[in-house]
Amino acid sequence: MNSRDYMLRAIELAKSGRGFTAPNPMVGAVIVKDGRIIGEGYHRKCGELHAERNAFASLTESAEGADMYVTLEPCCHYGRTPPCTEAIIEHKISRVYIGSRDPNPLVSGKGAKILRENGIEVTEDFLREECDALNPVFFHYITTGTPYVVMKYAMTLDGKIAAYTGKSQWITGKTAREHVHALRGTYSAVLAGIGTVLADDPMLNCRLENSHQPLRVIADSSLRIPLDSKLCRSAREYPLLIACTACNEQKKAAVEATGAEVVILPEKDGHTDLNALMEYLAKRQISSVLIEGGGELNYSALKSGIVTHVCAYIAPKLLGGRDTKSPVGGLGADSPDNAALLKNRTITQLGDDILLEYDVERSMPDVHGNN
C-alpha cells in the first residue's frame, strides 16, 4: 500500500458514520508505521470520540514515529470531546496527512499550525477532492448557518409524478425506492407539505435496519394534519415536527398529545415561510433536509432559494395527461432565461431507473413580484 491507499482507506472508514455524525462531519483516520496499519478509526456518532482518538484506541503498538492519515483537519478546541491535536502530539506522531481543510473558524488552519509548532510534519490537501466529497453537508452548514437542502422527486420520462387519477405508487422500481430509504437515513430531517400528507398519508421514515431516523417535518400552515394520519400515529416512535403559521389551540393540543411538536412560524405567500423554517431547524442543529413534497412545495423551495441539491429519479415510463402533475408546480418561470439553473451532473443506474443529481447554481427568481 502507498500513501494514496492509506487515505482512501480513511475515506472508506469515514463513510461508516454516514447518517449518525450530524451536525459533525464524517471523518476517518489511519495510523501507519513501517508500512503497516497499526490503528484506524472513524467518527461514529455526534458526541462520541473523533476519528483520530478512535484510531489511537485501536493501536496494536506504539504510534511513536508513525504517520497519520486523516480526512479532515484535526480539531484543536474543546467541544463535546477534547482536541485531537493533543492526542496526536501525546502519541508522538511524526507526520500527518490532511485531506480536507476545516472551514469551522474554531479549527480552520489552527489544527495544522499547532501540529507544526510541535515538530510534526504536516501535508495538507492530500486527496482533498476525494475527502471534500465526504462532507458537502457539513461544509454548507458550517459556512452558511443553514441546512443543506436536497429536493428529491421521482418522475416518468415525460415528467409526471402521478397519473391523472392522482395515483403515484409506484413511479420507480424497487431498487430506486430502496435507494430513497437509504437517502433518508443520511439526512437530519425530511420535509413534506400538507398536500402530500392529505393525498398519500406517508410515513416518511427510513425502513432500513440500523439506520438513522430523520426528524419528519411537515409544512402545514393551517394545522390541517389528520390526527389519525400515519405521521401522527407514529409520532412517539419517529420524531415529528409540524410547522404552521396559525392554528386552533385545541387542535394544537390534540396534535401535541400524539407526541408531535408544533411550532408557529411566519407566513409568506399564504404558506409557512420556508426560510424561517430553515433558520429554526438550523438553531436545532438540523444540518440537512431532504424535501419529499409535491410540486407546490418544490416550487416554493426553489423560489425561496433554500435548495442546494436536486435528486431526480427517472423511470422509463410515459404517463401522459395534459393536466397531470409535474415535479415543480406553482406559476413557474416566465421564460427559460429565468429558470433555476443546475450544475455538476452525476448519473446513477438503479435497476431500470436512473438517478440524476445536480447542485443548484441559481434558484428560481421571483419574477412575479410575490416576495
Side-chain angles (χ1 to χ4, degrees), residues 79-80 103 155 164 169 177 181 185 201 204 226 237 255 273 279-280 338-339 359:
R80 295 182 177 92
M155 71 177 188
Y164 76 91
Q169 297 181 340
R177 297 198 300 273
H181 280 284
D201 194 21
L204 299 177
E237 184 178 4
V255 171
D273 186 331
E279 291 173 7
Y280 173 80
N338 287 320
D359 294 327

Side-chain angles (χ1 to χ4, degrees), residues 85-86 88-90 92-94 110-122:
T85 49
E86 286 186 3
I88 294 170
I89 294 166
E90 289 168 1
K92 300 181 179 179
I93 290 290
S94 177
K110 299 173 185 175
K113 181 174 182 288
I114 288 172
L115 295 178
R116 289 189 176 105
E117 288 174 347
N118 282 271
I120 297 172
E121 184 181 333
V122 177

Side-chain angles (χ1 to χ4, degrees), residues 190-199 202 204 217-221 224 231 291-294 296-298:
V190 173
L191 170 65
I194 186 59
T196 295
V197 175
L198 297 176
L204 299 177
V217 182
I218 306 301
D220 181 8
S221 57
R224 292 187 290 155
L231 289 166
I291 299 180
E292 293 201 58
E296 298 307 307
L297 179 61
N298 288 345

Side-chain angles (χ1 to χ4, degrees), residues 26-27 40 46 86 92 191 219 230 242:
M26 293 185 289
V27 184
E40 58 182 31
C46 181
E86 286 186 3
K92 300 181 179 179
L191 170 65
K230 290 178 183 177
I242 314 297

Side-chain angles (χ1 to χ4, degrees), residues 261-291:
E261 296 179 71
V262 177
V263 60
I264 299 175
L265 295 174
E267 174 269 343
K268 183 176 182 181
D269 298 336
H271 302 287
T272 303
D273 186 331
L274 295 180
N275 293 102
L277 176 57
M278 292 305 113
E279 291 173 7
Y280 173 80
L281 292 175
K283 290 177 181 177
R284 292 184 53 157
Q285 295 194 317
I286 298 295
S287 59
S288 59
V289 176
L290 179 66
I291 299 180

